Amino acid sequence: MRSKMDLMAHHVGGWGRRMGWLAALLALATSGCNFGSDSNDGPQPPNILFFVMDDVGIDQMRAFGYGGGVLEVPHTPVIDALASGGVKFRNTWAMPECSPSRAMFFNGRYPTRTGITSAITSSDLANSQMSPYESTTPTLLKAAGYVSGIFGKTHFAGSALNPGNNPYGATAQFQLGWDQFSGWGDGAPNPIDTTAGGVAAAGTYQCGYVPGAASPNGADDGACYTVDNQCSTLSNDVDAPGRTCLERGGIFVPHASCTSPRPANLDFTVQNGYYVSELLYNNPNGQASAVRPDDPSGKARGYRTTIEANLAIDWIKSRPTNKPWMATVSFSSAHSPYQPPPTSLLPTGTPAFAGTDCTSVPEVRTLMTQMIESMDQEIGRVLVDSGIATRNPDGSIAYDPARSNTMVVLVGDNGSYTFTVKAPFDPLHAKAFVNQTGVWVPLLVAGPMVAQPGRSVDAMVNVADLFELFGEIAGIQVHEAVPAARALDSVSMLPYLTNPSALPIREVNFTTSAYNKRATTTVQAPCVIETGSVCTTLFPQRGLCESEGGTWYGNGSTVRGVPSGGYTSCCQVNKLRLDNSQTAYGILPDVQQAVRNSGYKLLRIVEPEYLPAPADQCISNERYEFYKVDQASPIPQIDRPSDPGANNLGTIGLTGDDLSNYTDLLSKLQAINGSVVPCPGDGNLDGVVNAKDIAGYNQWASRTGGKSSWFDFNLDGKTDTLDLAIVEEHLGTTCPGPR
């Protein structure tokens, strides 16, 4: 599905996919750029360093002209330096949640095509995970001579919490084309260990460490035990020694001296937010391994953002100079749970975090700012240690795009989360919603292929377009390299980098969210995010619900009036609320979609609603919202449902330009949805049902023991003879291509 505007990349400003990186290098050579290749085969295509920030919307970014009040604007000198040395894309859409966006970075396809429509949880079938039959960025780059590594959070495959829905096991990243992976597959760090390593009862230490003596159950002295059976005594009247011990990977026993053996109650096996996490590895041999929290090496203990940076630095520094590489540094930060980062990563003069619960809205907002600031510092360390930037005497970085043959890309994977949202954006329609606050993300591109760095682009960009950009950097025409049966939704980005006068390429942008595919027998309990007053059945476990700041209404709920087995729908939650004369919660829609053009935005929402007596039933409503939107700084027009006015247009009685834009956007949305054509029996995404699909069925049925795979066509969570019958029924079918 390609419009004439999509094809402008072939000629805008003389730059397009057909010219590729070689033309860019030839032009830049006239300005004296040195790409430092040791190859005898001519200029080497640029390396690619790709940073992903988690739950960081554009509202957090001073470099883009936003960031809320002066006191809560994250201080991001490294990101600011990249912005000055590159291009700021000020009109970029992601999906409202991480997994769909992260998949799109590397396959260029909308969630409506891939089935990855929401954040992947342990309940979700393989049909809502990245398929091994996709043409992924690392696979395409490999054909161009690149080697690829990915470090940190990935979250486009299954969860170790449910092996039956995780056909890859621990080898997803390798199977999808990466040569090296180190990090985490699930969507967020584990919940904070409120026992602080077993030194107190659960619920005692909400930040996961023993605070200073000024706090309840705190201490200014004690013994710090580390996983390798070492111990040291700590005392500090400025910052909590318990926090210092946690930063070192240890467990702090307040008001105690070191003993041998160490106290029996200390538990080094428990994961603890950002500071203790089982670390996974894939290697070039396709083997997977894990470093557990109690491993004596201590590799699974330490601040996640620092570990993620270290993994990337070590890999980049080991690359030969005559072979291009792509390194993805996929940060877990600033996703919940919220914990204070090491003080060494914060701006000079930042006071030590004095909070004690890490859950109250004021403290979370402070922590979010500090987590972004610490991530900024680690981005700088990756740039400096890999030779892409230098360090100034005052500790700041100096970024010169021509210093190395490396393109740097930085993006957020979705909008900020509810109470972390900075004014004037909308915390009630943030992450998980297709409203502007939920999908509008920062995107920076810097490096030697950028002409006239330091500028902004207001043209619409979708995170799917990064897939095309990575190909353009490597000299690959992705729409020719990817089989037509795997329809791409990406458009060119290179013209914006090389031609400051490039005209907009996208006519329309698109984003969507829906529940992922689950087995027909799966029932998921409600979770209410009180700060947003919204109910959802997204979270499969109580702990995950509560780590997101939610109240659990499933089995074991402590909410008064909930039966012992818990509820199975948000409509039941609202019935309880209304029966008790309380206001009903909003319910996270089953389906959300949005399209926009240069000045208007249309939302389609399908959501459950509980109708009280006499109806006493749960119904499904479909509705549309229509807005004027823009990128004005510092106060943009956004789609805030609770604020009717000149930009909230409604859908009734439209005239003139409003009506024509509404009609056009509705048509565009219908066309996007209509372009997805089902192909029963085609498990390998080649558009034909043939013997290869029978072979694929046999492979995955055997490999998974008959459990979930991409050949589970009837979505019952099994790969069995019922699915084989679907393949056989459609043998010989050539599926219609995308409309």
Side-chain angles (χ1 to χ4, degrees), residues 91-103:
N91 191 359
T92 303
W93 271 12
M95 301 301 108
E97 295 171 271
C98 49
S99 298
S101 293
R102 289 165 183 263

Side-chain angles (χ1 to χ4, degrees), residues 270-340:
V270 178
Q271 302 191 68
N272 184 3
Y274 274 80
Y275 283 93
V276 185
S277 304
E278 181 172 291
L279 182 62
L280 305 178
Y281 290 89
N282 283 176
N283 63 32
N285 297 320
Q287 298 174 332
S289 60
V291 179
R292 295 177 55 82
D294 57 351
D295 189 277
S297 69
K299 290 182 178 180
R301 309 183 73 87
Y303 189 56
R304 262 205 194 205
T305 306
T306 296
I307 292 174
E308 290 158 343
N310 287 342
L311 293 168
I313 290 168
D314 290 345
W315 186 80
I316 292 170
K317 291 173 71 173
S318 71
R319 297 302 92 212
T321 59
N322 62 349
K323 189 174 182 65
W325 50 262
M326 177 176 178
T328 298
V329 191
S330 187
F331 290 111
S332 303
S333 189
H335 198 290
S336 63
Y338 303 98
Q339 276 182 303

Side-chain angles (χ1 to χ4, degrees), residues 450-471:
V450 173
Q452 295 183 20
R455 53 191 171 86
S456 296
V457 170
D458 279 342
M460 290 182 291
V461 172
N462 193 284
V463 293
D465 302 339
L466 290 173
F467 177 77
E468 188 139 343
L469 175 64
F470 298 144

Side-chain angles (χ1 to χ4, degrees), residues 441-455:
V441 297
L443 172 61
L444 296 172
V445 182
M449 296 175 76
V450 173
Q452 295 183 20
R455 53 191 171 86

Side-chain angles (χ1 to χ4, degrees), residues 196 205 207-224 233-248 250-255 275 340-343 351-356 358:
Y205 298 120
C207 293
Y209 64 91
V210 179
S215 303
N217 301 306
D220 284 342
D221 65 278
C224 178
T233 57
L234 297 178
S235 62
N236 192 341
D237 58 0
V238 176
D239 195 6
R243 175 175 167 177
T244 301
C245 181
L246 179 67
E247 292 177 9
R248 297 178 182 177
I251 295 176
F252 183 74
V253 182
H255 308 305
Y275 283 93
T343 53
F353 180 72
T356 58
C358 290

